[in-house]
Structure formats: structure tokens, C-alpha cells
Amino acid sequence: MSSLQQTAAPSSVRTFIDLRQFEQDRSQGIPRSAAPGEDLFLGSRRLLDFPDGPVSAGVIALEAGSGAVQSHPADEFIFVSSGTLTLSQAQPGRMLELGPNSSAVIQHGAAFSWSAEGPVSVIFMRYTGSQPDERAIVPIREKAPLAPSNPPSAELLISPAPSCRNHSDHRSGDGQFSCGVWDSTPYHRRAMYYRHYELMYLLAGSVTFVDETGRSATFAQGDLFMVEQHASCSWESREYVAKVFALYRPV
């Protein structure tokens, strides 16, 4: 888990969130129970307290059992934190087993069944502005081939410019929600204003964030965290970093 140097930021301040810490502390967030007739995958959730908008995130808590979703209501990135979740689609006849620390995107309109042999904890990020398209379940490939991508703006960099690469396994039709993998050589930049939400799972390396209040945390390999839209945070990585990401960036 991350190394936080200060306690949680005031609720009015947009900042970074340790999602594994949120998952374990059930006193945090907004619980939501399944409505009558609603599948537990959609209804058994605890939400982060985000402002109204196209992005929500939180934890799905499932006990051993199974269920079915006739049409998923949005594009949703899911990350299995513990347990094993099996997702099956009759059309096109596909089954995906997600164990701990694996992730996928359930596309808007996807019909699927799910099963769990024991308790499963899933961290999710949902983009409600999506539209039905391929209606598939897309695994995030941690070892996907990467292509060069833009480094941080030169005016923000304190260090030499890094070499960055990425690959997107999913991109919404409007281009505002994407999920995939990214890596970079070390770099240090001053605080940047986040126009976007970004969830990150570190596959390698470590990175230190400092927000506008001076609250800081170092996240390392295996950590899962999120930077909120409208946060102002710096970044410092002193080694190679690789991550899975889910990103909402408004056009």
C-alpha cells in the first residue's frame, strides 16, 4: 500500500486517492444496495464521493454466486483486487477469467453472465457518456506492444524529458475514455492541473505525488490509485515506471 505522509485531504480539495485503502475501509464512500430485481454486479457497490458528472468509481463486493447483466449501462473499467471473477458472453461465445490484479473493460451494451466461487472485490471506473458499440468485454493486456507517446509539457518538467510509450485496448466512441498500458523513463514535473480523471495500477517502479495542500504519497508496484479531476499534483519518478490506466479526458 502507498506511503502517505499526511492524513486525508479536506473533502473540498481534489487530490489523489489510494484505492486499495478505500477498498479496505468500509466506512468510506457511499454504499449502494441492489434494487429489487437488479443484478448484484450492478447494484452491490460502494461509491467514491465524486461531484455529479460522467465518471463514477468505487468497489463492487460480490459473494460466491452468479448473475447476469442483460445490457451493461456504460463503459466500465474493472480491476479484480481479490478473488476470481469469470465473465461469459453467449455472443460472441467468449469467457474471460479475471484473477487478482487483472483488469478488463465492459463495453456499453454488453450482455454477460458472471460467476464467483468465493468473495470477489472489484474496483471500477465508469464512464456514463459512452454509447453502445461493439458491446464486448475487452481484457487489458499488460504486455501489449507499445508505441511512442507524448512526454509531459516542457514547461512543467524539472528534469530532462522522459521517453514515454502507451497502448490502448479500449477507447470510447467519442474518444474521451481510454484504458490500456503506459510506461516511461524517470522524470520529475511540477504540479499539473488535471482536466481529467485517471486510475492507475503500477506494474513497475514507483512515483511520488504532492497535491496543492502539501499532502504527499509514494505509490509503488502493485499499488492502485486515482487522481481526481481538478486536482493539482506534481509527479516524481526516479526509476522506470509502467502502469495500467483508465483515463477520462474531456474534449
Side-chain angles (χ1 to χ4, degrees):
M1 190 174 291
S2 67
S3 173
L4 280 167
Q5 291 189 359
Q6 293 189 17
T7 56
S11 59
S12 60
V13 174
R14 301 295 98 188
T15 184
F16 48 81
I17 301 166
D18 184 328
L19 291 174
R20 292 202 191 270
Q21 189 178 76
F22 175 82
E23 174 195 25
Q24 294 175 13
D25 185 354
R26 297 185 180 183
S27 68
Q28 296 185 41
I30 304 167
R32 182 184 183 279
S33 299
E38 184 179 29
D39 187 82
L40 292 175
F41 187 88
L42 298 178
S44 183
R45 300 184 173 215
R46 181 163 47 90
L47 306 176
L48 285 158
D49 187 10
F50 283 172
D52 291 340
V55 171
S56 62
V59 178
I60 306 168
L62 299 170
E63 298 299 329
S66 61
V69 174
Q70 299 305 313
S71 178
H72 201 267
D75 280 359
E76 186 165 79
F77 171 88
I78 60 169
F79 176 92
V80 175
S81 180
S82 62
T84 300
L85 178 68
T86 301
L87 304 175
S88 302
Q89 288 189 284
Q91 297 295 332
R94 179 180 301 159
M95 183 176 73
L96 178 64
E97 184 177 282
L98 297 172
N101 300 326
S102 55
S103 54
V105 175
I106 303 174
Q107 295 180 339
H108 193 152
F112 64 94
S113 60
W114 62 269
S115 63
E117 294 185 0
V120 175
S121 182
V122 177
I123 294 170
F124 72 91
M125 177 178 172
R126 174 181 287 189
Y127 171 51
T128 59
S130 59
Q131 297 295 323
D133 190 7
E134 296 180 0
R135 305 170 191 256
I137 298 175
V138 182
I140 301 299
R141 296 175 294 160
E142 295 182 0
K143 296 184 179 180
L146 303 177
S149 62
N150 293 330
S153 170
E155 63 186 20
L156 292 175
L157 283 169
I158 299 170
S159 67
S163 175
C164 303
R165 304 180 301 171
N166 72 357
H167 171 84
S168 293
D169 283 305
H170 169 78
R171 186 178 298 275
S172 61
D174 61 10
Q176 297 190 83
F177 185 61
S178 59
C179 306
V181 291
W182 174 95
D183 73 357
S184 175
T185 56
Y187 72 92
H188 187 190
R189 64 157 171 78
R190 53 181 57 91
M192 178 183 79
Y193 176 74
Y194 279 71
R195 294 180 52 252
H196 54 280
Y197 282 98
E198 184 172 5
L199 179 152
M200 296 173 247
Y201 167 62
L202 288 190
L203 299 168
S206 64
V207 58
T208 298
F209 286 87
V210 182
D211 72 10
E212 62 186 288
T213 70
R215 174 176 176 264
S216 67
T218 297
F219 297 98
Q221 182 178 2
D223 283 339
L224 181 72
F225 57 98
M226 191 170 195
V227 180
E228 297 179 86
Q229 188 180 39
H230 307 313
S232 290
C233 297
S234 63
W235 166 295
E236 183 177 11
S237 55
R238 299 184 179 185
E239 57 188 326
Y240 167 82
V241 170
K243 68 185 180 183
V244 169
F245 68 86
L247 174 70
Y248 164 70
R249 189 189 303 276
V251 295

